[in-house]
Amino acid sequence: MAEEIEWYHEFINKNYKPKKDDVKVLFYYEPAEGITNEDAIGRIASESSSGTWTTLTELPKLLPKVKAYAYEYDSNYVKIAYPIIDFEKGSVPCMVSAIGGNIFGMKALNNLRLIDAELPLDYIKDFKGPNYGVDVIKRIFKRKSGPVTSVVPKPKIGYTAEEHAKKVAYAVWKGGIDCVKDDENLTNQSFNKFEPRVKFLAKYRDKAMKETGEVKDAFINVTSSNLKELERRVKLVHDYGFKYFMIDMVVSGFTAVGTAVELAYDYDMAIHGHRAMHSMFTRNPKHGMTMLFLAKLLRLIGVDQIHTGTGVGKLEGSAESIMAMEKMLMNQEVDKIENVRMPQKWGKIKPVLPVSSGGLHPGIIPAVFDIYGTTNIGLQVGGGTLGHPDGAEAGAKAVTQAIEAYKQKISLEEYAEKHKELKRALEKWGHLKPI
Ligand code: CAP
Ligand code: MG
């Protein structure tokens, strides 16, 4: 008899009952031409756990304990159960290199999308989660309720460190905004070097706090070329009295985010997580990884607040997908949404503050609050503040007026009758939803 060449189908078992501590992963998949569903899902389960393309001459005794099984599937969705011992305790990089790795390049699949995974408490328990999470609102800003507001200097780059702090940050802090956020592509450029930016921001933060009596902070971008420099930058931000720092999570990678979390605990700081680059692999509805699962991984590792989209601004992301993600980030237990979200219990891992940003301005802030509510949300308004016809401080006031109008259940137009900054913002942008 011709020797068996393939063994992919050994990783399919419709009668397999996942164990309580299995990691259960939901994929969307599309078999390539001439490939059966079983050929496809066998490859996904095999190549992400312990198999390979051909039968092997010798198999280790432990193999039955590390094999994953596709246990539930139809023509486009498959659930695969992974024994928890497949993954190093406390290491997201290890797990993602398995369930988010080679399988995405297999010729037998036209498309593959990692939708979500139910992580057992036995896996969760080895992670710290956020140092502050949603508690940033009461522990840093001494408030019972959100939003935590921030403005990012626009144009994204071009200001010197002193202009960044004096002309923009000081003005929006005076106008009532809580934080000034570095843009994702501002790190340590020659015209706005990191150290002077931290120093000037600290100087004008203190001035603004003294004049307003309000807590002011900044999301200063510590994204660096290596971990030693990352640590040096976090320490500098801490030494100048900031409670936050920001990191570009995706471009930095899970190991750097894990290091940032260790530093956040060491210095008792909170991390603002920017997700720039995520759209490279989260946007295509048929391939890649959902933002929901990426956000789950970042809550697990310990980022305190994460960009999660607007549903109405310039960047993609539907209100439904945002709400499914926001509940997963905010709640200690969520139920499943068919083919959208797996059930998840979070044990002691703190909730993460969702941050809405991207093409926002006072005229569409109510639409954002209709999705998120106002209690536990970060609201970031860049161009929609600094494009205000009367300048940065007036733009900041218009944002805070729009927030107040919504909280008092007054229409923006009515509230604008007695608040000129909001009126002028509505004259320029109305309720425009930018694309
Ligand atoms: C928004 C922003 C943020 C995006 C990130 C920008 O500026 O600073 O980086 O919100 O997208 O560079 O576009 P504006 P997301 O307020 O001027 O649009 O929040 O979806 O991760
Ligand atoms: Mg930006």
Side-chain angles (χ1 to χ4, degrees), residues 203-267:
K203 175 183 171 188
Y204 286 99
R205 172 203 63 203
D206 295 346
K207 185 170 167 32
M209 284 181 71
K210 195 154 165 269
E211 291 166 3
T212 62
E214 296 163 357
V215 174
K216 301 296 179 186
D217 213 287
F219 308 148
I220 301 174
N221 191 3
V222 299
T223 302
S224 304
S225 58
N226 65 69
L227 296 182
K228 280 189 176 165
E229 180 58 18
L230 171 73
E231 178 155 9
R232 192 186 74 80
R233 292 184 189 181
V234 171
K235 183 176 184 317
L236 191 78
V237 174
H238 165 265
D239 292 352
Y240 274 87
F242 292 101
K243 289 303 288 176
Y244 276 97
F245 62 83
M246 165 175 141
I247 185 167
D248 292 337
M249 303 175 290
V250 180
V251 299
S252 298
F254 294 119
T255 298
V257 175
T259 305
V261 169
E262 290 300 310
L263 294 166
Y265 275 89
D266 293 347
Y267 292 117

Side-chain angles (χ1 to χ4, degrees), residues 28-53:
Y28 169 87
Y29 73 102
E30 286 181 4
E33 188 70 29
I35 297 290
T36 68
N37 288 333
E38 288 72 19
D39 292 344
I41 65 171
R43 279 163 173 76
I44 300 168
S46 164
E47 295 278 353
S48 59
S49 64
S50 50
T52 190
W53 68 275

